[in-house]
């Protein structure tokens, strides 16, 4: 349910690190709590995001929820597929990434949870 190759933030975002790029999405737990995702507000390419701060939001049939950055960096790509298919987050939360960022400080990765610790925090 929580892929071992990802790192997790306590605010229900995940990251996959590849070199100096972090791909960020929302966890299966988050999409389940949200219900049917209707809209995803994303930052613009070139925007800076900061760990622990809002970088966008997800609106669903139940609620609008802020997206909290698990890591700091510059947005280098957004998932434009989510503009037309926001429900992709419900269908495949670990494939439906939201943004890719160039990592500003790799030391922040150490502050994130592994899959076991994230799952434990949910219980």
């Amino acid at each position: 349910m929580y892929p071992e190759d990802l790192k997790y933030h306590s605010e229900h975002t995940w990251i996959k690190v590849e070199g100096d790029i972090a791909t960020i999405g929302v966890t299966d737990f988050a999409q389940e709590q949200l219900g049917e995702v209707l809209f995803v507000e994303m930052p613009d390419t070139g925007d800076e995001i900061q760990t622990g701060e809002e970088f966008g939001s997800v609106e669903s049939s139940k609620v609008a929820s802020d997206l909290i950055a698990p890591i700091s960096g510059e947005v280098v790509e957004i998932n434009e597929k989510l503009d037309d298919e926001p429900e992709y987050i419900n269908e495949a939360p670990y494939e439906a990434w939201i943004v890719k960022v160039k990592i500003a400080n790799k030391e922040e990765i150490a502050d994130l949870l592994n899959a076991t610790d994230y799952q434990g925090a949910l219980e």
Side-chain angles (χ1 to χ4, degrees), residues 50-120:
Q50 297 295 320
T51 302
E53 294 185 9
E54 176 190 343
F55 72 92
S57 64
V58 176
E59 294 181 22
S60 72
S61 55
K62 294 181 183 176
V63 68
S65 183
D66 291 339
L67 293 167
I68 304 299
I71 199 159
S72 300
E74 178 187 348
V75 177
V76 294
E77 189 177 351
I78 62 169
N79 190 347
E80 294 180 8
K81 178 177 181 172
L82 298 178
D83 286 336
D84 297 324
E85 299 176 52
E87 69 278 3
Y88 186 40
I89 287 176
N90 297 116
E91 296 162 8
Y94 299 109
E95 293 172 26
W97 57 275
I98 297 169
V99 295
K100 293 186 180 189
V101 301
K102 183 173 172 60
I103 301 169
N105 181 359
K106 285 198 171 188
E107 292 177 12
E108 292 178 346
I109 297 168
D111 295 332
L112 298 171
L113 304 170
N114 63 30
T116 302
D117 291 341
Y118 177 72
Q119 193 162 354

Side-chain angles (χ1 to χ4, degrees), residues 5-60:
D5 63 331
L6 304 177
K7 292 288 192 176
Y8 300 86
H9 188 271
S10 59
E11 294 291 333
H12 313 296
T13 50
W14 57 261
I15 74 167
K16 182 173 187 171
V17 178
E18 296 171 291
D20 63 350
I21 301 296
T23 303
I24 302 172
V26 298
T27 66
D28 185 56
F29 175 82
Q31 72 78 23
E32 203 172 273
Q33 296 299 306
L34 287 164
E36 182 186 357
V37 175
L38 303 173
F39 179 75
V40 182
E41 180 186 337
M42 297 175 274
D44 293 322
T45 302
D47 285 356
E48 295 285 333
I49 66 172
Q50 297 295 320
T51 302
E53 294 185 9
E54 176 190 343
F55 72 92
S57 64
V58 176
E59 294 181 22
S60 72

